[in-house]
Amino acid sequence: MLDRLPFLVGLRYVRAKRRNHFISFISLTSMLGLMLGVAVLILVLSVMNGFDHELRTRILGMVPHAKIEARDGMVEWRPLAEQLMQRDRVEGVAPYVEQQGMFSVGGRNEGAMVNGIHPEWEDNVSIIGDHMQQGELADLVPGEWKVVLGSMLARRLGVGVGDRVTLLVPEASITPAGVFPRLKRFTVSGIFSVGADLDATLAYANIEDMQTLGRLGDAIGGLRLELDDLFVAGSETQAILNELGPGYRGSDWTYSQGNLFQAIQMEKRMIALLLTVIIAVAAFNIVSTLVMVVTDKRADIAILRTIGATPRSIMGIFIVQGLAIGLIGIAVGVAVGVLLALTISDLIAWVESALNIQFLDAGVYFISDLPSRLHFEDVRNIVLAAFGLTFLSTLYPAWRAARVQPADVLRYE
């Protein structure tokens, strides 16, 4: 019986009505604080996971996970592409030619990176085909000198489908009349939008047209790779280079976009740390609750000690009571947080419709709705952190209860 004493008495103290209603109020406040902290932390981390996923999908759907280039130019690229496709981590391969240039039309000038692509290969490594606002990649026919522009780039140039733009490239052409920059007139055949900065800096043309403009002959710039896991891009690129030998070089997405995603992860950690303070404050409210309960139950503690309860059992009673209060708050918080994380997008859409307002303007932000992705690892870590803080908050009151001397308490009873 004494072995079960901490659980029996501790749970009874949680259910019992108290003579001191202020203790009950503090206990309820602790539960609500834990519930609010856990729910808000789950919701915020889920929303940040959603933004991270959207950025990763849109930006890294356009930026190659890895690139392989030949130091002396790559002419016979098809056998190499087939060889790379045999690797377990490689899911797609596509040739490319990159050319930095400046588009000019009607006195407006905008710099951009022009990617020469094979339209039928590009879907292997890019999501651009799913984000075409006007036109199609198939319209990029060799010899017709057509170009697909990002939506923001097209807006800045003031052009649409069917308009003509002039591309100036850095290489100069030497003529009897002097040195002139190389330029070529293109017809806009399509406009894409992924809702990121790439819309203002990226354009696509047929790879054969870019080979002609760059005077590359049959050589291409290199091969773009799509991997099954973008976080192995560095190691996989190095493994490919080791296999191909010294005549090749490579790079991966971390060179151009790594800082952005590191900043997102750092921001997520800092917000999680700050919101954990809410849980800590609520958990340590349990200290106040239990200290007052110990003071209120001194006579009960003394009686239990006289019938054989050990100091360890007395500590267990109040640890059980504090953990019970905490677990109720954590459980309700997890339920509320998970529910909100799964429904926040629809809830925000309903509020926008009901109040006729828009929280995320598609013209300003790269998305128009609030994304949310619930990760089990986040929920698990939040529950463990909240439980740990709750357990720590029970130790001091339980220790005080174990030090109560029956003779001192019962002397005047």
Side-chain angles (χ1 to χ4, degrees), residues 62 127-140 146-165 187-195 198-205:
M62 301 289 289
I127 62 171
I128 182 178
D130 300 328
H131 293 271
M132 294 294 296
Q133 289 186 333
Q134 301 179 56
E136 298 179 355
L137 288 182
D139 297 333
L140 299 177
K146 292 182 178 180
V147 67
V148 173
L149 302 178
S151 58
M152 193 176 300
L153 178 59
R155 191 181 310 121
R156 291 176 179 177
L157 291 171
V159 298
V161 173
D163 293 334
R164 295 177 66 81
V165 296
T187 301
V188 179
S189 64
I191 294 175
F192 70 87
S193 176
V194 292
L198 297 174
D199 291 341
T201 59
L202 200 57
Y204 290 89

Side-chain angles (χ1 to χ4, degrees), residues 1-16 304 309-325 327 387 391:
M1 183 66 181
L2 291 177
D3 292 338
R4 300 169 56 194
L5 182 68
F7 294 96
L8 295 174
V9 179
L11 295 177
R12 176 181 171 82
Y13 280 175
V14 173
R15 299 192 305 268
L304 289 172
T310 64
R312 183 174 180 179
S313 298
I314 300 300
M315 283 191 68
I317 290 173
F318 293 95
I319 289 176
V320 167
Q321 182 183 359
L323 289 179
I325 294 172
L327 288 175
F387 180 82
F391 176 74

Side-chain angles (χ1 to χ4, degrees), residues 154-273:
R155 191 181 310 121
R156 291 176 179 177
L157 291 171
V159 298
V161 173
D163 293 334
R164 295 177 66 81
V165 296
T166 301
L167 175 63
L168 293 85
V169 296
E171 292 84 356
S173 299
I174 301 177
T175 69
V179 179
F180 292 92
R182 194 177 307 164
L183 52 87
K184 183 63 182 178
R185 297 274 285 178
F186 283 82
T187 301
V188 179
S189 64
I191 294 175
F192 70 87
S193 176
V194 292
D197 291 343
L198 297 174
D199 291 341
T201 59
L202 200 57
Y204 290 89
N206 188 276
I207 192 170
E208 294 184 22
D209 292 341
M210 296 306 297
Q211 286 173 321
T212 301
L213 182 62
R215 299 177 181 176
L216 301 177
D218 294 330
I220 63 172
L223 295 173
R224 301 169 62 190
L225 307 182
E226 175 84 6
L227 306 177
D228 62 348
D229 183 357
L230 61 92
F231 292 107
V232 302
S235 59
E236 183 67 13
T237 301
Q238 189 59 50
I240 291 173
L241 294 177
N242 292 338
E243 181 180 307
L244 296 179
Y248 294 87
R249 61 176 178 264
S251 62
D252 60 83
W253 66 273
T254 58
Y255 286 93
S256 59
Q257 306 294 333
N259 290 338
L260 172 62
F261 290 92
Q262 288 177 2
I264 292 174
Q265 292 301 317
M266 178 61 71
E267 183 177 344
K268 179 181 176 181
R269 294 190 190 101
M270 293 306 299
I271 289 180
L273 181 61

